mmCIF file with all atom_site columns, all heavy atoms in Angstrom:
data_model
loop_
_atom_site.group_PDB
_atom_site.id
_atom_site.type_symbol
_atom_site.label_atom_id
_atom_site.label_alt_id
_atom_site.label_comp_id
_atom_site.label_asym_id
_atom_site.label_entity_id
_atom_site.label_seq_id
_atom_site.pdbx_PDB_ins_code
_atom_site.Cartn_x
_atom_site.Cartn_y
_atom_site.Cartn_z
_atom_site.occupancy
_atom_site.B_iso_or_equiv
_atom_site.pdbx_formal_charge
_atom_site.auth_seq_id
_atom_site.auth_comp_id
_atom_site.auth_asym_id
_atom_site.auth_atom_id
_atom_site.pdbx_PDB_model_num
ATOM 1   N N   . SER A 1 26  ? 85.037 86.714 124.424 1.00 86.00 ? 33  SER A N   1
ATOM 2   C CA  . SER A 1 26  ? 85.886 86.802 123.236 1.00 86.00 ? 33  SER A CA  1
ATOM 3   C C   . SER A 1 26  ? 86.411 88.230 123.072 1.00 86.00 ? 33  SER A C   1
ATOM 4   O O   . SER A 1 26  ? 86.136 88.923 122.091 1.00 86.00 ? 33  SER A O   1
ATOM 5   C CB  . SER A 1 26  ? 85.097 86.361 122.000 1.00 86.00 ? 33  SER A CB  1
ATOM 6   O OG  . SER A 1 26  ? 84.754 85.000 122.094 1.00 86.00 ? 33  SER A OG  1
ATOM 7   N N   . PHE A 1 49  ? 88.896 88.113 112.700 1.00 83.00 ? 56  PHE A N   1
ATOM 8   C CA  . PHE A 1 49  ? 88.220 88.923 113.711 1.00 83.00 ? 56  PHE A CA  1
ATOM 9   C C   . PHE A 1 49  ? 88.855 90.315 113.690 1.00 83.00 ? 56  PHE A C   1
ATOM 10  O O   . PHE A 1 49  ? 89.967 90.490 113.206 1.00 83.00 ? 56  PHE A O   1
ATOM 11  C CB  . PHE A 1 49  ? 88.359 88.292 115.099 1.00 83.00 ? 56  PHE A CB  1
ATOM 12  C CG  . PHE A 1 49  ? 89.776 87.924 115.462 1.00 83.00 ? 56  PHE A CG  1
ATOM 13  C CD1 . PHE A 1 49  ? 90.614 88.842 116.081 1.00 83.00 ? 56  PHE A CD1 1
ATOM 14  C CD2 . PHE A 1 49  ? 90.271 86.660 115.176 1.00 83.00 ? 56  PHE A CD2 1
ATOM 15  C CE1 . PHE A 1 49  ? 91.920 88.508 116.403 1.00 83.00 ? 56  PHE A CE1 1
ATOM 16  C CE2 . PHE A 1 49  ? 91.580 86.312 115.500 1.00 83.00 ? 56  PHE A CE2 1
ATOM 17  C CZ  . PHE A 1 49  ? 92.405 87.242 116.115 1.00 83.00 ? 56  PHE A CZ  1
ATOM 18  N N   . PRO A 1 50  ? 88.145 91.329 114.188 1.00 86.00 ? 57  PRO A N   1
ATOM 19  C CA  . PRO A 1 50  ? 88.670 92.694 114.131 1.00 86.00 ? 57  PRO A CA  1
ATOM 20  C C   . PRO A 1 50  ? 89.572 93.034 115.303 1.00 86.00 ? 57  PRO A C   1
ATOM 21  O O   . PRO A 1 50  ? 89.595 92.327 116.324 1.00 86.00 ? 57  PRO A O   1
ATOM 22  C CB  . PRO A 1 50  ? 87.397 93.548 114.163 1.00 86.00 ? 57  PRO A CB  1
ATOM 23  C CG  . PRO A 1 50  ? 86.466 92.744 115.007 1.00 86.00 ? 57  PRO A CG  1
ATOM 24  C CD  . PRO A 1 50  ? 86.758 91.294 114.693 1.00 86.00 ? 57  PRO A CD  1
ATOM 25  N N   . PHE A 1 103 ? 88.571 91.342 119.426 1.00 90.00 ? 110 PHE A N   1
ATOM 26  C CA  . PHE A 1 103 ? 87.272 90.865 119.900 1.00 90.00 ? 110 PHE A CA  1
ATOM 27  C C   . PHE A 1 103 ? 86.519 90.214 118.745 1.00 90.00 ? 110 PHE A C   1
ATOM 28  O O   . PHE A 1 103 ? 86.943 90.268 117.583 1.00 90.00 ? 110 PHE A O   1
ATOM 29  C CB  . PHE A 1 103 ? 86.448 92.033 120.466 1.00 90.00 ? 110 PHE A CB  1
ATOM 30  C CG  . PHE A 1 103 ? 86.140 93.110 119.466 1.00 90.00 ? 110 PHE A CG  1
ATOM 31  C CD1 . PHE A 1 103 ? 84.927 93.134 118.792 1.00 90.00 ? 110 PHE A CD1 1
ATOM 32  C CD2 . PHE A 1 103 ? 87.075 94.101 119.174 1.00 90.00 ? 110 PHE A CD2 1
ATOM 33  C CE1 . PHE A 1 103 ? 84.649 94.116 117.850 1.00 90.00 ? 110 PHE A CE1 1
ATOM 34  C CE2 . PHE A 1 103 ? 86.806 95.088 118.240 1.00 90.00 ? 110 PHE A CE2 1
ATOM 35  C CZ  . PHE A 1 103 ? 85.580 95.093 117.569 1.00 90.00 ? 110 PHE A CZ  1
ATOM 36  N N   . THR A 1 104 ? 85.388 89.575 119.062 1.00 83.00 ? 111 THR A N   1
ATOM 37  C CA  . THR A 1 104 ? 84.478 89.062 118.039 1.00 83.00 ? 111 THR A CA  1
ATOM 38  C C   . THR A 1 104 ? 83.126 89.746 118.198 1.00 83.00 ? 111 THR A C   1
ATOM 39  O O   . THR A 1 104 ? 82.847 90.379 119.226 1.00 83.00 ? 111 THR A O   1
ATOM 40  C CB  . THR A 1 104 ? 84.282 87.543 118.153 1.00 83.00 ? 111 THR A CB  1
ATOM 41  O OG1 . THR A 1 104 ? 83.523 87.250 119.333 1.00 83.00 ? 111 THR A OG1 1
ATOM 42  C CG2 . THR A 1 104 ? 85.628 86.813 118.212 1.00 83.00 ? 111 THR A CG2 1
ATOM 43  N N   . ALA A 1 105 ? 82.271 89.612 117.193 1.00 74.00 ? 112 ALA A N   1
ATOM 44  C CA  . ALA A 1 105 ? 80.952 90.245 117.237 1.00 74.00 ? 112 ALA A CA  1
ATOM 45  C C   . ALA A 1 105 ? 80.147 89.753 118.437 1.00 74.00 ? 112 ALA A C   1
ATOM 46  O O   . ALA A 1 105 ? 79.342 90.490 119.013 1.00 74.00 ? 112 ALA A O   1
ATOM 47  C CB  . ALA A 1 105 ? 80.184 89.972 115.943 1.00 74.00 ? 112 ALA A CB  1
ATOM 48  N N   . ASP A 1 106 ? 80.355 88.498 118.844 1.00 72.00 ? 113 ASP A N   1
ATOM 49  C CA  . ASP A 1 106 ? 79.629 87.943 119.985 1.00 72.00 ? 113 ASP A CA  1
ATOM 50  C C   . ASP A 1 106 ? 79.807 88.791 121.244 1.00 72.00 ? 113 ASP A C   1
ATOM 51  O O   . ASP A 1 106 ? 78.925 88.834 122.105 1.00 72.00 ? 113 ASP A O   1
ATOM 52  C CB  . ASP A 1 106 ? 80.136 86.527 120.309 1.00 72.00 ? 113 ASP A CB  1
ATOM 53  C CG  . ASP A 1 106 ? 79.743 85.532 119.234 1.00 72.00 ? 113 ASP A CG  1
ATOM 54  O OD1 . ASP A 1 106 ? 79.246 85.973 118.180 1.00 72.00 ? 113 ASP A OD1 1
ATOM 55  O OD2 . ASP A 1 106 ? 79.939 84.326 119.443 1.00 72.00 ? 113 ASP A OD2 1
ATOM 56  N N   . ALA A 1 107 ? 80.953 89.441 121.363 1.00 76.00 ? 114 ALA A N   1
ATOM 57  C CA  . ALA A 1 107 ? 81.262 90.190 122.583 1.00 76.00 ? 114 ALA A CA  1
ATOM 58  C C   . ALA A 1 107 ? 80.338 91.382 122.774 1.00 76.00 ? 114 ALA A C   1
ATOM 59  O O   . ALA A 1 107 ? 80.235 91.917 123.883 1.00 76.00 ? 114 ALA A O   1
ATOM 60  C CB  . ALA A 1 107 ? 82.714 90.667 122.544 1.00 76.00 ? 114 ALA A CB  1
ATOM 61  N N   . LEU A 1 108 ? 79.653 91.800 121.712 1.00 72.00 ? 115 LEU A N   1
ATOM 62  C CA  . LEU A 1 108 ? 78.743 92.944 121.827 1.00 72.00 ? 115 LEU A CA  1
ATOM 63  C C   . LEU A 1 108 ? 77.335 92.536 122.232 1.00 72.00 ? 115 LEU A C   1
ATOM 64  O O   . LEU A 1 108 ? 76.451 93.381 122.316 1.00 72.00 ? 115 LEU A O   1
ATOM 65  C CB  . LEU A 1 108 ? 78.699 93.703 120.496 1.00 72.00 ? 115 LEU A CB  1
ATOM 66  C CG  . LEU A 1 108 ? 80.003 94.393 120.116 1.00 72.00 ? 115 LEU A CG  1
ATOM 67  C CD1 . LEU A 1 108 ? 79.874 95.057 118.763 1.00 72.00 ? 115 LEU A CD1 1
ATOM 68  C CD2 . LEU A 1 108 ? 80.417 95.404 121.171 1.00 72.00 ? 115 LEU A CD2 1
ATOM 69  N N   . GLY A 1 109 ? 77.134 91.240 122.494 1.00 63.00 ? 116 GLY A N   1
ATOM 70  C CA  . GLY A 1 109 ? 75.824 90.803 122.972 1.00 63.00 ? 116 GLY A CA  1
ATOM 71  C C   . GLY A 1 109 ? 75.254 89.692 122.128 1.00 63.00 ? 116 GLY A C   1
ATOM 72  O O   . GLY A 1 109 ? 75.612 89.507 120.965 1.00 63.00 ? 116 GLY A O   1
ATOM 73  N N   . THR A 1 110 ? 74.339 88.929 122.722 1.00 54.00 ? 117 THR A N   1
ATOM 74  C CA  . THR A 1 110 ? 73.784 87.756 122.049 1.00 54.00 ? 117 THR A CA  1
ATOM 75  C C   . THR A 1 110 ? 72.886 88.113 120.884 1.00 54.00 ? 117 THR A C   1
ATOM 76  O O   . THR A 1 110 ? 72.560 87.259 120.069 1.00 54.00 ? 117 THR A O   1
ATOM 77  C CB  . THR A 1 110 ? 72.991 86.902 123.039 1.00 54.00 ? 117 THR A CB  1
ATOM 78  O OG1 . THR A 1 110 ? 71.962 87.711 123.639 1.00 54.00 ? 117 THR A OG1 1
ATOM 79  C CG2 . THR A 1 110 ? 73.891 86.354 124.133 1.00 54.00 ? 117 THR A CG2 1
ATOM 80  N N   . THR A 1 112 ? 73.658 90.332 118.545 1.00 52.00 ? 119 THR A N   1
ATOM 81  C CA  . THR A 1 112 ? 74.443 90.809 117.408 1.00 52.00 ? 119 THR A CA  1
ATOM 82  C C   . THR A 1 112 ? 74.507 89.713 116.348 1.00 52.00 ? 119 THR A C   1
ATOM 83  O O   . THR A 1 112 ? 74.866 88.582 116.656 1.00 52.00 ? 119 THR A O   1
ATOM 84  C CB  . THR A 1 112 ? 75.879 91.156 117.837 1.00 52.00 ? 119 THR A CB  1
ATOM 85  O OG1 . THR A 1 112 ? 75.823 92.130 118.884 1.00 52.00 ? 119 THR A OG1 1
ATOM 86  C CG2 . THR A 1 112 ? 76.662 91.727 116.663 1.00 52.00 ? 119 THR A CG2 1
ATOM 87  N N   . PRO A 1 113 ? 74.167 90.013 115.083 1.00 46.00 ? 120 PRO A N   1
ATOM 88  C CA  . PRO A 1 113 ? 74.244 88.988 114.038 1.00 46.00 ? 120 PRO A CA  1
ATOM 89  C C   . PRO A 1 113 ? 75.641 88.409 113.965 1.00 46.00 ? 120 PRO A C   1
ATOM 90  O O   . PRO A 1 113 ? 76.626 89.112 114.172 1.00 46.00 ? 120 PRO A O   1
ATOM 91  C CB  . PRO A 1 113 ? 73.902 89.777 112.755 1.00 46.00 ? 120 PRO A CB  1
ATOM 92  C CG  . PRO A 1 113 ? 73.124 90.947 113.236 1.00 46.00 ? 120 PRO A CG  1
ATOM 93  C CD  . PRO A 1 113 ? 73.711 91.300 114.583 1.00 46.00 ? 120 PRO A CD  1
ATOM 94  N N   . GLY A 1 114 ? 75.716 87.120 113.662 1.00 47.00 ? 121 GLY A N   1
ATOM 95  C CA  . GLY A 1 114 ? 77.014 86.474 113.679 1.00 47.00 ? 121 GLY A CA  1
ATOM 96  C C   . GLY A 1 114 ? 77.712 86.426 112.345 1.00 47.00 ? 121 GLY A C   1
ATOM 97  O O   . GLY A 1 114 ? 78.908 86.254 112.270 1.00 47.00 ? 121 GLY A O   1
ATOM 98  N N   . ALA A 1 115 ? 76.983 86.582 111.257 1.00 42.00 ? 122 ALA A N   1
ATOM 99  C CA  . ALA A 1 115 ? 77.614 86.544 109.951 1.00 42.00 ? 122 ALA A CA  1
ATOM 100 C C   . ALA A 1 115 ? 78.303 87.876 109.666 1.00 42.00 ? 122 ALA A C   1
ATOM 101 O O   . ALA A 1 115 ? 78.192 88.824 110.437 1.00 42.00 ? 122 ALA A O   1
ATOM 102 C CB  . ALA A 1 115 ? 76.567 86.246 108.869 1.00 42.00 ? 122 ALA A CB  1
ATOM 103 N N   . ALA A 1 118 ? 76.875 91.417 110.197 1.00 51.00 ? 125 ALA A N   1
ATOM 104 C CA  . ALA A 1 118 ? 76.989 92.249 111.402 1.00 51.00 ? 125 ALA A CA  1
ATOM 105 C C   . ALA A 1 118 ? 77.928 93.421 111.175 1.00 51.00 ? 125 ALA A C   1
ATOM 106 O O   . ALA A 1 118 ? 77.669 94.535 111.616 1.00 51.00 ? 125 ALA A O   1
ATOM 107 C CB  . ALA A 1 118 ? 77.499 91.418 112.581 1.00 51.00 ? 125 ALA A CB  1
ATOM 108 N N   . TRP A 1 119 ? 79.022 93.177 110.448 1.00 50.00 ? 126 TRP A N   1
ATOM 109 C CA  . TRP A 1 119 ? 80.000 94.245 110.251 1.00 50.00 ? 126 TRP A CA  1
ATOM 110 C C   . TRP A 1 119 ? 79.447 95.332 109.319 1.00 50.00 ? 126 TRP A C   1
ATOM 111 O O   . TRP A 1 119 ? 79.944 96.439 109.290 1.00 50.00 ? 126 TRP A O   1
ATOM 112 C CB  . TRP A 1 119 ? 81.296 93.661 109.682 1.00 50.00 ? 126 TRP A CB  1
ATOM 113 C CG  . TRP A 1 119 ? 81.766 92.504 110.474 1.00 50.00 ? 126 TRP A CG  1
ATOM 114 C CD1 . TRP A 1 119 ? 81.752 91.199 110.104 1.00 50.00 ? 126 TRP A CD1 1
ATOM 115 C CD2 . TRP A 1 119 ? 82.264 92.536 111.814 1.00 50.00 ? 126 TRP A CD2 1
ATOM 116 N NE1 . TRP A 1 119 ? 82.215 90.424 111.136 1.00 50.00 ? 126 TRP A NE1 1
ATOM 117 C CE2 . TRP A 1 119 ? 82.538 91.205 112.186 1.00 50.00 ? 126 TRP A CE2 1
ATOM 118 C CE3 . TRP A 1 119 ? 82.501 93.567 112.735 1.00 50.00 ? 126 TRP A CE3 1
ATOM 119 C CZ2 . TRP A 1 119 ? 83.041 90.875 113.432 1.00 50.00 ? 126 TRP A CZ2 1
ATOM 120 C CZ3 . TRP A 1 119 ? 83.003 93.223 113.977 1.00 50.00 ? 126 TRP A CZ3 1
ATOM 121 C CH2 . TRP A 1 119 ? 83.273 91.899 114.305 1.00 50.00 ? 126 TRP A CH2 1
ATOM 122 N N   . LEU A 1 125 ? 80.321 98.654 114.286 1.00 70.00 ? 132 LEU A N   1
ATOM 123 C CA  . LEU A 1 125 ? 81.219 97.740 113.586 1.00 70.00 ? 132 LEU A CA  1
ATOM 124 C C   . LEU A 1 125 ? 81.502 98.175 112.155 1.00 70.00 ? 132 LEU A C   1
ATOM 125 O O   . LEU A 1 125 ? 82.431 97.672 111.526 1.00 70.00 ? 132 LEU A O   1
ATOM 126 C CB  . LEU A 1 125 ? 80.632 96.323 113.586 1.00 70.00 ? 132 LEU A CB  1
ATOM 127 C CG  . LEU A 1 125 ? 80.453 95.690 114.971 1.00 70.00 ? 132 LEU A CG  1
ATOM 128 C CD1 . LEU A 1 125 ? 79.831 94.313 114.847 1.00 70.00 ? 132 LEU A CD1 1
ATOM 129 C CD2 . LEU A 1 125 ? 81.791 95.589 115.690 1.00 70.00 ? 132 LEU A CD2 1
#
Side-chain angles (χ1 to χ4, degrees):
S33 295
F56 50 89
F110 61 97
T111 70
D113 290 9
L115 293 177
T117 57
T119 303
W126 309 109
L132 297 178

